[in-house]
Amino acid sequence: METVLEEGDVLNKCPRCGGGLNYDEELGELFCRSCAVVVQEQVADLGPEWKALDPEDKTRRVRVGAPLTLSLHDLGLTTEIDSRAQDSQGRALPPQARISAGKMRRWQNRVRTTSTERSLSQVLSKIGEVVTRLALPKSVAETAARVYRRSHKMKVVKSRSIKGVTAAVVYLACRKCGVSRTLNEISQAVGVKERNAARYFRLLLREVEDTYIPPPTIESYISKLVNMAKIDARVERLALHLVAKTRDSRVFSGKTPSGLAAAYVYIAAVLLGEKVSQREVAELANVTEVTVRNRCRELLEAYVIRQRLKPQGRGKSL
DNA sequence: ATGGTTTTTACTGCGTC
DNA sequence: GACGCGGTAAAAACCAT
């Protein structure tokens, strides 16, 4: 039960960031643990939604080869690490612009045909823009559009900021689809203050969305962090293990998951003798070093972390 | 608006490579 | 001496009420 990553989980390297890729044939879902973290359970939840997709996708998915690569890329492993991710080990990716255009076109077709009135609002087209810009999966676009139409029907978004609503809806869709993007990233892409988007997001949750959407887990943050920082996978495993061990603790309550995740990763790295600085994990988790330190302190106060681990664990004991 | 909680900002001292 | 680490106080942000 301490093992979270199963054998054979990692099939490939992410073409964009080099992180581990997981690809589920059955569900047609691929997830890079750096760019778009999707935890196993959440994938299962996605099942129905994916089945509802057009058959064209299915046939494309079955084939192996170049189209697959294309769809891999399509499935939205994105942005945020763009600098080094740009071009990886010689595998030439199709020009960004072309893919974006194609995706945009497809998305718009779908929306046009399904939406009853095109004049529904500018929000829908804005959603398309944002999804394209962030290279998010199609499922996100569809989910976002669906949520928006519903909220529109319920009149809750009447006379609200278009940008704010857009960001909120897209973020909500990401959450539903298990795509790990922060509200901050999306707000920036939309060009709106995060707190405004947050307001609308809460509004949506309260008024429209009846199904509870779990917030991003500490575990998902940990995976994201480890992969983004290119830290040894052992650290990830240990960090996740520590989370599991300390799961039923009040240390968690009210603290930002990303900060906690950063702390776990840091502690795990120290235990394993990996050289990872607080600054590094803090930056990647979008928190300050102070927060990392505080979480570490609280964690270490609450628990005695011993290193009685198996093979050549040259860890120190804290 | 307000109050309680959490995070950030800014600054300091300490050890070490 | 710069760097990583640890701590602190006050400001800022967040959130429910």
Side-chain angles (χ1 to χ4, degrees), chain A residues 122-193:
Chain A
Q122 311 164 54
V123 173
L124 285 179
S125 66
K126 204 107 180 98
I127 289 172
E129 278 176 39
V130 174
V131 165
T132 301
R133 190 173 312 153
L134 292 176
L136 293 168
K138 286 171 295 189
S139 58
V140 171
E142 297 194 8
T143 305
R146 205 172 52 236
V147 169
Y148 176 69
R149 280 194 220 99
R150 184 128 55 100
S151 66
H152 187 265
K153 198 167 291 181
M154 293 170 134
K155 310 242 192 268
V156 297
V157 292
K158 195 128 192 206
S159 72
R160 309 276 188 185
S161 142
I162 289 174
K163 286 182 173 182
V165 170
T166 302
V169 163
V170 171
Y171 177 62
L172 178 60
C174 283
R175 289 266 291 263
K176 284 185 84 121
C177 295
V179 173
S180 174
R181 280 312 125 78
T182 64
L183 182 56
N184 196 312
E185 291 170 287
I186 292 166
S187 300
Q188 276 182 9
V190 177
V192 69
K193 288 255 186 70

Side-chain angles (χ1 to χ4, degrees), chain A residues 9 11 21-25 28-31 61-62 68 71-72 75:
Chain A
D9 251 353
L11 303 178
L21 281 193
N22 294 0
Y23 180 63
D24 191 317
E25 277 296 332
E29 179 65 78
L30 169 117
F31 35 111
R61 238 185 279 133
V62 173
L68 180 62
S71 87
L72 289 188
L75 280 173

Side-chain angles (χ1 to χ4, degrees), chain A residues 220-262:
Chain A
S220 65
Y221 272 115
I222 286 177
S223 300
K224 191 175 181 181
L225 278 184
V226 168
N227 285 317
M228 289 206 310
K230 302 226 193 320
I231 302 172
D232 194 324
R234 291 183 308 139
V235 173
E236 178 181 1
R237 279 198 44 179
L238 179 54
L240 291 171
H241 177 66
L242 291 176
V243 174
K245 285 287 193 186
T246 56
R247 164 133 317 291
D248 51 345
S249 165
R250 0 150 256 266
V251 176
F252 293 117
S253 74
K255 307 297 199 294
T256 68
S258 55
L260 250 340

Side-chain angles (χ1 to χ4, degrees), chain A residues 14 24 61 65 78 180 203 219 247 259 301:
Chain A
C14 171
D24 191 317
R61 238 185 279 133
T78 61
S180 174
L203 183 73
E219 285 89 343
R247 164 133 317 291
E301 275 168 6

Side-chain angles (χ1 to χ4, degrees), chain A residues 11-16 21-25 28-32 35-36 50 57 60-61 63-78 91 93-94 99 103 135-138:
Chain A
L11 303 178
N12 253 319
K13 292 291 180 194
C14 171
R16 293 191 61 89
L21 281 193
N22 294 0
Y23 180 63
D24 191 317
E25 277 296 332
E29 179 65 78
L30 169 117
F31 35 111
C32 166
C35 307
W50 272 97
D57 256 72
R60 188 148 40 94
R61 238 185 279 133
R63 277 206 310 265
V64 196
L68 180 62
T69 315
L70 189 68
S71 87
L72 289 188
H73 191 261
D74 237 359
L75 280 173
L77 321 172
T78 61
R91 290 172 51 96
L93 298 170
I99 291 181
K103 188 157 40 168
L136 293 168
K138 286 171 295 189

